[in-house]
Short mmCIF file of all heavy atoms in Angstrom, two decimals:
data_model
loop_
_atom_site.label_atom_id
_atom_site.label_comp_id
_atom_site.label_asym_id
_atom_site.label_seq_id
_atom_site.Cartn_x
_atom_site.Cartn_y
_atom_site.Cartn_z
N ASP A 83 -2.08 11.85 -10.19
CA ASP A 83 -1.94 11.70 -11.62
C ASP A 83 -1.09 10.46 -11.89
O ASP A 83 0.07 10.40 -11.47
CB ASP A 83 -1.29 12.94 -12.22
CG ASP A 83 -0.95 12.76 -13.68
OD1 ASP A 83 -1.89 12.57 -14.46
OD2 ASP A 83 0.25 12.76 -14.02
N PRO A 84 -1.63 9.46 -12.59
CA PRO A 84 -0.89 8.20 -12.73
C PRO A 84 0.43 8.32 -13.47
O PRO A 84 1.41 7.65 -13.14
CB PRO A 84 -1.88 7.28 -13.49
CG PRO A 84 -2.88 8.21 -14.08
CD PRO A 84 -2.96 9.38 -13.18
N ALA A 85 0.49 9.19 -14.47
CA ALA A 85 1.75 9.35 -15.21
C ALA A 85 2.83 9.92 -14.31
O ALA A 85 3.99 9.46 -14.34
CB ALA A 85 1.54 10.25 -16.43
N TYR A 86 2.45 10.91 -13.47
CA TYR A 86 3.45 11.48 -12.56
C TYR A 86 3.90 10.44 -11.53
O TYR A 86 5.10 10.33 -11.24
CB TYR A 86 2.85 12.68 -11.83
CG TYR A 86 3.74 13.19 -10.70
CD1 TYR A 86 4.88 13.95 -10.99
CD2 TYR A 86 3.48 12.86 -9.39
CE1 TYR A 86 5.72 14.37 -9.97
CE2 TYR A 86 4.32 13.29 -8.37
CZ TYR A 86 5.44 14.05 -8.67
OH TYR A 86 6.27 14.46 -7.66
N VAL A 87 2.94 9.68 -10.97
CA VAL A 87 3.28 8.70 -9.93
C VAL A 87 4.22 7.65 -10.52
O VAL A 87 5.23 7.28 -9.90
CB VAL A 87 2.01 8.06 -9.36
CG1 VAL A 87 2.37 6.90 -8.44
CG2 VAL A 87 1.20 9.08 -8.59
N ARG A 88 3.91 7.15 -11.70
CA ARG A 88 4.75 6.11 -12.31
C ARG A 88 6.16 6.63 -12.56
O ARG A 88 7.15 5.96 -12.24
CB ARG A 88 4.15 5.65 -13.64
CG ARG A 88 4.94 4.52 -14.29
CD ARG A 88 4.42 4.17 -15.68
NE ARG A 88 3.11 3.55 -15.64
CZ ARG A 88 1.99 4.14 -16.05
NH1 ARG A 88 2.00 5.38 -16.52
NH2 ARG A 88 0.85 3.49 -16.01
N GLU A 89 6.27 7.85 -13.07
CA GLU A 89 7.59 8.42 -13.36
C GLU A 89 8.37 8.69 -12.08
O GLU A 89 9.56 8.43 -12.00
CB GLU A 89 7.41 9.71 -14.16
CG GLU A 89 8.69 10.30 -14.70
CD GLU A 89 9.33 11.30 -13.75
OE1 GLU A 89 8.60 11.80 -12.85
OE2 GLU A 89 10.53 11.55 -13.88
N PHE A 91 8.08 7.12 -9.11
CA PHE A 91 8.53 5.87 -8.54
C PHE A 91 9.65 5.23 -9.35
O PHE A 91 10.55 4.60 -8.79
CB PHE A 91 7.37 4.89 -8.36
CG PHE A 91 6.58 5.14 -7.12
CD1 PHE A 91 5.31 5.70 -7.19
CD2 PHE A 91 7.07 4.82 -5.88
CE1 PHE A 91 4.57 5.95 -6.05
CE2 PHE A 91 6.35 5.05 -4.72
CZ PHE A 91 5.09 5.61 -4.81
N ALA A 133 0.10 -3.09 -6.36
CA ALA A 133 1.05 -1.97 -6.13
C ALA A 133 2.20 -2.46 -5.23
O ALA A 133 2.56 -1.80 -4.27
CB ALA A 133 0.32 -0.77 -5.52
N SER A 155 1.92 -7.34 -8.30
CA SER A 155 1.67 -6.55 -9.51
C SER A 155 1.94 -5.06 -9.22
O SER A 155 1.75 -4.59 -8.10
CB SER A 155 0.23 -6.72 -9.99
OG SER A 155 -0.70 -6.11 -9.11
N ASP A 156 2.41 -4.36 -10.24
CA ASP A 156 2.68 -2.92 -10.11
C ASP A 156 2.71 -2.35 -11.53
O ASP A 156 3.05 -3.05 -12.49
CB ASP A 156 4.01 -2.68 -9.41
CG ASP A 156 4.08 -1.28 -8.80
OD1 ASP A 156 4.24 -0.32 -9.56
OD2 ASP A 156 3.96 -1.16 -7.58
N PHE A 157 2.35 -1.06 -11.65
CA PHE A 157 2.40 -0.45 -13.00
C PHE A 157 3.76 0.18 -13.29
O PHE A 157 3.95 0.74 -14.37
CB PHE A 157 1.26 0.53 -13.21
CG PHE A 157 1.37 1.86 -12.49
CD1 PHE A 157 0.51 2.91 -12.86
CD2 PHE A 157 2.25 2.10 -11.46
CE1 PHE A 157 0.58 4.14 -12.25
CE2 PHE A 157 2.33 3.32 -10.84
CZ PHE A 157 1.47 4.33 -11.24
N CYS A 158 4.70 0.07 -12.34
CA CYS A 158 6.04 0.61 -12.53
C CYS A 158 7.03 -0.55 -12.69
O CYS A 158 7.39 -1.21 -11.73
CB CYS A 158 6.43 1.48 -11.34
SG CYS A 158 8.08 2.22 -11.48
N ALA A 159 7.44 -0.79 -13.92
CA ALA A 159 8.34 -1.92 -14.21
C ALA A 159 9.66 -1.82 -13.47
O ALA A 159 10.24 -2.85 -13.05
CB ALA A 159 8.58 -2.00 -15.71
N GLU A 160 10.16 -0.60 -13.29
CA GLU A 160 11.43 -0.43 -12.60
C GLU A 160 11.37 -0.93 -11.16
O GLU A 160 12.36 -1.48 -10.62
CB GLU A 160 11.85 1.04 -12.61
CG GLU A 160 12.24 1.58 -13.99
CD GLU A 160 11.06 2.02 -14.82
OE1 GLU A 160 9.88 1.80 -14.40
OE2 GLU A 160 11.27 2.58 -15.90
N LEU A 162 9.43 -3.40 -10.11
CA LEU A 162 9.31 -4.86 -10.14
C LEU A 162 10.66 -5.54 -10.39
O LEU A 162 10.86 -6.68 -9.97
CB LEU A 162 8.29 -5.29 -11.20
CG LEU A 162 6.83 -4.97 -10.87
CD1 LEU A 162 5.93 -5.45 -12.01
CD2 LEU A 162 6.41 -5.60 -9.56
N LEU A 174 4.20 -9.07 -12.08
CA LEU A 174 3.50 -8.74 -13.31
C LEU A 174 3.30 -7.24 -13.39
O LEU A 174 2.79 -6.62 -12.44
CB LEU A 174 2.13 -9.43 -13.34
CG LEU A 174 1.29 -9.23 -14.61
CD1 LEU A 174 1.93 -9.93 -15.80
CD2 LEU A 174 -0.12 -9.73 -14.39
N VAL A 175 3.70 -6.65 -14.51
CA VAL A 175 3.42 -5.23 -14.75
C VAL A 175 1.93 -5.10 -15.06
O VAL A 175 1.45 -5.65 -16.05
CB VAL A 175 4.28 -4.68 -15.89
CG1 VAL A 175 3.93 -3.20 -16.14
CG2 VAL A 175 5.77 -4.82 -15.59
N ALA A 176 1.22 -4.38 -14.21
CA ALA A 176 -0.22 -4.27 -14.37
C ALA A 176 -0.74 -3.01 -13.68
O ALA A 176 -0.26 -2.64 -12.61
CB ALA A 176 -0.93 -5.49 -13.81
N ASP A 177 -1.71 -2.37 -14.30
CA ASP A 177 -2.36 -1.19 -13.74
C ASP A 177 -3.48 -1.64 -12.82
O ASP A 177 -4.33 -2.45 -13.20
CB ASP A 177 -2.93 -0.32 -14.87
CG ASP A 177 -3.42 1.04 -14.41
OD1 ASP A 177 -3.74 1.18 -13.21
OD2 ASP A 177 -3.44 1.96 -15.23
N ALA A 178 -3.48 -1.14 -11.58
CA ALA A 178 -4.51 -1.53 -10.61
C ALA A 178 -5.90 -1.11 -11.04
O ALA A 178 -6.89 -1.64 -10.52
CB ALA A 178 -4.18 -0.92 -9.25
N ASN A 199 -2.00 6.09 -3.77
CA ASN A 199 -1.35 6.62 -4.98
C ASN A 199 -2.13 6.34 -6.27
O ASN A 199 -1.66 6.69 -7.36
CB ASN A 199 0.06 6.03 -5.11
CG ASN A 199 0.99 6.52 -4.03
OD1 ASN A 199 0.99 7.70 -3.69
ND2 ASN A 199 1.79 5.62 -3.47
#
Side-chain angles (χ1 to χ4, degrees):
D83 172 63
Y86 171 77
V87 172
R88 183 186 291 109
E89 188 269 340
F91 278 106
S155 70
D156 201 286
F157 74 166
C158 180
E160 290 84 353
L162 290 180
L174 182 69
V175 178
D177 190 335
N199 292 318

